[in-house]
Amino acid sequence: MAKIEQHDIEIGKYILSILKTRIDIVSSWGLDPESLKPIKYGIEFHVQGFKHTGLVQVTLNEGEDLFEVCLISESGETKERHESIFLDNLISVIDDAVENVENYEKRVSEEYPFLKDPDNPEKVRPMEIIIL
């Protein structure tokens, strides 16, 4: 196992700062904050999404300034690997791999009925309404 250096921790913080820009999307992944940990050149965390439950590893190739996302099953098997991801696509690539399913709003309203919009049961209420 590779030794985690301070530079790896800084890269992990950088990746986390990117994820925090869309906390609304990241929170939908069922990310366990206690599972966050630095790895060589990046960060790892556990999710419970509609499409993937297990680990997500995000690493930065500093030479190319591109990211790699690796999905690992609960049993430790690598399920998917996405390479050469630009900064502005990082969250959407993870979201598509972990959470985004066909008829997403319908699936959310079935799994979480308290999120249904009372004025339109086919829609999910905006999160800011629920939080207030």
Side-chain angles (χ1 to χ4, degrees):
M1 180 172 213
K3 183 179 177 201
I4 303 302
E5 305 285 342
Q6 183 62 36
H7 187 67
D8 300 315
I9 294 169
E10 295 304 320
I11 292 173
K13 287 179 181 179
Y14 170 60
I15 293 168
L16 190 56
S17 74
I18 296 165
L19 298 180
K20 285 180 177 180
T21 65
R22 290 305 311 265
I23 199 70
D24 56 325
I25 294 173
V26 173
S27 64
S28 75
W29 304 339
L31 188 148
D32 176 6
E34 292 183 15
S35 70
L36 284 164
K37 72 176 193 177
I39 60 174
K40 200 73 178 153
Y41 307 114
I43 193 169
E44 174 183 278
F45 49 88
H46 188 272
V47 297
Q48 282 187 270
F50 284 140
K51 291 170 72 176
H52 174 70
T53 295
L55 294 176
V56 175
Q57 293 180 337
V58 183
T59 55
L60 173 64
N61 178 330
E62 288 184 286
E64 295 181 355
D65 201 22
L66 297 173
F67 296 91
E68 180 177 298
V69 172
C70 187
L71 302 180
I72 302 170
S73 71
E74 297 281 32
S75 64
E77 177 186 353
T78 299
K79 301 302 269 183
E80 290 181 40
R81 183 178 306 275
H82 303 269
E83 299 175 335
S84 301
I85 303 165
F86 290 98
L87 169 72
D88 56 346
N89 293 327
L90 180 60
I91 293 173
S92 63
V93 167
I94 299 171
D95 192 49
D96 286 344
V98 169
E99 181 72 3
N100 199 6
V101 293
E102 192 172 323
N103 298 316
Y104 180 74
E105 283 199 10
K106 182 176 187 236
R107 177 85 185 264
V108 169
S109 67
E110 290 170 357
E111 292 278 329
Y112 309 101
F114 61 91
L115 295 178
K116 285 185 183 177
D117 184 339
D119 298 325
N120 187 351
E122 296 298 312
K123 297 285 247 172
V124 176
R125 291 188 290 176
M127 289 302 290
E128 59 270 10
I129 292 173
I130 296 165
I131 292 169
L132 298 176

